[in-house]
């Protein structure tokens, strides 16, 4: 009987070894290139685009050195950046915005609207409201204020708020107002070609009004140049929310350039895993847990 029990025990240990080996094989290490990291503790690659902005999770750069021929990305899909002439750019439905700072502790990102000025024109090119993607984790902060432009209007307004360089044909007039102005002519919006609200940092407008300056652009242009700020919230629902709650980092993977992206939860090499993934020594690595493969493996081992 003792011999039989020992045989059963050895057989059980043999099967357990198979489970552990299968679990390790199911994991996949994603390259974390040393020449592109900035020494952060994040398991996902971090990037430099230029010299001013440290780009890391949940932001990422498409086609950066951290991706394997574009086969994966580690970050929120809506926080994808492009590196253009050493400038990180966030593409939103309303246009392209240069990223000037990212504060990860505060979860805020500072942006500048690339469509505001052209190289040969000092007059703001006003024509679009800020638009965020549906379901985006981004939102304006309490440190933002709003500049409202009334473009090509048929009424005569307040000269202190008139923007002469946006006059157009000379018969229509354009005006700019900031949050809190008592004379903002919202009731006349129907008499204007367009009404555009543009966010700026509230501190950029302190003590600067159209009446206090020689013209409204003396206050408006520096504020637009300073840009504005967005905050982001951690994902709380869906696959990404579940991944982060379990200690993972959200991302997507595809086998080939034309394949569809599939959700992947990345975990650090030091994260305890039911699959018995090997622990990292020294530098942390990314370990990808493909949800579909993991589920199929679990079913096959039951």
């Amino acid at each position: 009987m003792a011999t039989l029990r020992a045989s059963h025990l050895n057989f059980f240990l043999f099967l357990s070894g198979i489970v552990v080996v299968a679990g390790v094989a199911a994991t996949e290490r994603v390259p974390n290139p040393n020449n592109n990291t900035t020494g952060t503790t994040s398991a996902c690659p971090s990037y430099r685009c230029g010299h001013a902005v440290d780009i890391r999770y949940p932001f990422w750069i498409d086609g950066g050195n951290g991706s394997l021929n574009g086969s994966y990305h580690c970050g929120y899909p809506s926080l994808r950046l492009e590196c253009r002439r050493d400038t990180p750019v966030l593409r939103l439905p309303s246009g392209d915005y240069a990223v000037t700072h990212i504060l990860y502790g505060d979860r805020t990102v500072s942006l500048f609207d690339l469509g505001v000025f052209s190289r040969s024109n000092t007059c703001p090119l006003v024509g679009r409201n800020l638009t965020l993607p549906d379901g985006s984790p981004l939102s304006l902060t309490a440190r933002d204020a709003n500049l409202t432009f009334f473009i090509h209007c048929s009424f005569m307004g307040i000269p202190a708020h008139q923007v002469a360089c946006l006059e157009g044909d000379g018969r229509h007039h354009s005006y700019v107002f900031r949050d809190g102005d008592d004379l903002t002519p919202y009731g006349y919006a129907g008499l204007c070609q367009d009404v555009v609200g543009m966010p700026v940092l509230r501190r950029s407008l302190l003590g600067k009004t159209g009446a206090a300056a020689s013209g409204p652009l003396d206050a408006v242009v520096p504020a637009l140049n300073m840009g504005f700020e967005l905050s982001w919230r951690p994902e709380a629902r869906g696959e990404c929310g579940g991944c982060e709650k379990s200690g993972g980092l959200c991302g997507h993977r595809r086998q080939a350039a034309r394949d569809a992206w599939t959700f992947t939860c990345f975990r650090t090499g030091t994260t305890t895993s039911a699959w018995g993934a090997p622990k990292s020594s020294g530098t942390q690595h990314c370990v990808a847990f493909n949800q579909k493969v993991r589920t199929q493996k679990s079913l096959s081992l039951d």
Side-chain angles (χ1 to χ4, degrees):
M1 180 65 69
T3 303
L4 182 60
R5 288 180 178 176
S7 299
H8 286 171
L9 178 60
N10 291 334
F11 183 67
F12 174 77
L13 292 175
F14 173 73
L15 288 180
S16 298
I18 293 177
V19 171
V20 172
V21 172
V24 174
T27 66
E28 182 180 356
R29 289 192 177 276
V30 179
N32 193 354
N34 293 327
N35 63 349
N36 204 35
T37 59
T38 58
T40 63
T41 58
S42 172
C44 293
S46 55
Y47 309 90
R48 285 287 185 184
C49 177
H51 303 286
V53 184
D54 177 22
I55 300 168
R56 49 190 169 90
Y57 187 87
F59 294 88
W60 57 286
I61 290 184
D62 189 15
N65 293 334
S67 65
L68 186 60
N69 297 322
S71 63
Y72 82 94
H73 72 76
C74 189
Y76 294 178
S78 59
L79 299 186
R80 165 184 172 269
L81 303 179
E82 297 178 5
C83 190
R84 302 181 190 171
R85 297 179 180 178
D86 291 334
T87 300
V89 176
L90 176 66
R91 303 197 69 179
L92 296 175
S94 51
D96 295 346
Y97 297 80
V99 175
T100 56
H101 295 91
I102 303 177
L103 298 178
Y104 293 92
D106 294 337
R107 294 198 186 103
T108 57
V109 53
S110 299
L111 303 168
F112 170 82
D113 189 345
L114 290 175
V116 171
F117 297 101
S118 68
R119 293 182 178 179
S120 59
N121 190 3
T122 58
C123 189
L125 304 176
V126 181
R128 60 191 186 188
N129 294 283
L130 174 68
T131 306
L132 300 175
D134 293 337
S136 173
L138 295 168
S139 61
L140 291 168
T141 74
R143 290 188 285 268
D144 292 309
N146 199 55
L147 289 176
T148 304
F149 289 85
F150 293 79
I151 310 299
H152 296 169
C153 305
S154 59
F155 65 89
M156 285 297 295
I158 305 167
H161 294 270
Q162 191 168 337
V163 184
C165 66
L166 295 176
E167 291 298 276
D169 56 12
R171 295 178 300 163
H172 296 83
H173 309 281
S174 298
Y175 309 91
V176 62
F177 297 83
R178 66 176 189 172
D179 286 347
D181 284 337
D182 296 333
L183 301 176
T184 305
Y186 289 110
Y188 295 95
L191 301 177
C192 302
Q193 177 181 315
D194 202 3
V195 178
V196 177
M198 302 186 69
V200 294
L201 289 172
R202 192 174 301 277
R203 68 175 184 270
S204 69
L205 297 175
L206 292 177
K208 296 178 180 179
T209 63
S214 59
L217 287 182
D218 291 340
V220 169
V221 169
L224 291 174
N225 274 322
M226 192 175 292
F228 61 98
E229 183 180 270
L230 294 177
S231 64
W232 76 86
R233 62 183 183 275
E235 294 287 353
R237 301 178 181 178
E239 292 177 316
C240 189
C243 173
E244 289 192 340
K245 287 178 182 178
S246 66
L249 301 173
C250 307
H252 284 76
R253 169 176 294 286
R254 61 185 176 186
Q255 296 298 322
R258 296 184 179 181
D259 291 349
W261 290 98
T262 58
F263 177 78
T264 303
C265 184
F266 294 97
R267 300 184 187 275
T268 66
T270 57
T271 301
T272 302
S273 166
W275 285 102
K279 292 185 177 181
S280 164
S281 59
T283 305
Q284 290 185 332
H285 298 275
C286 280
V287 181
F289 285 72
N290 186 285
Q291 302 296 332
K292 182 177 180 181
V293 172
R294 183 173 62 179
T295 301
Q296 290 175 344
K297 282 287 184 181
S298 299
L299 292 176
S300 66
L301 295 173
D302 289 340

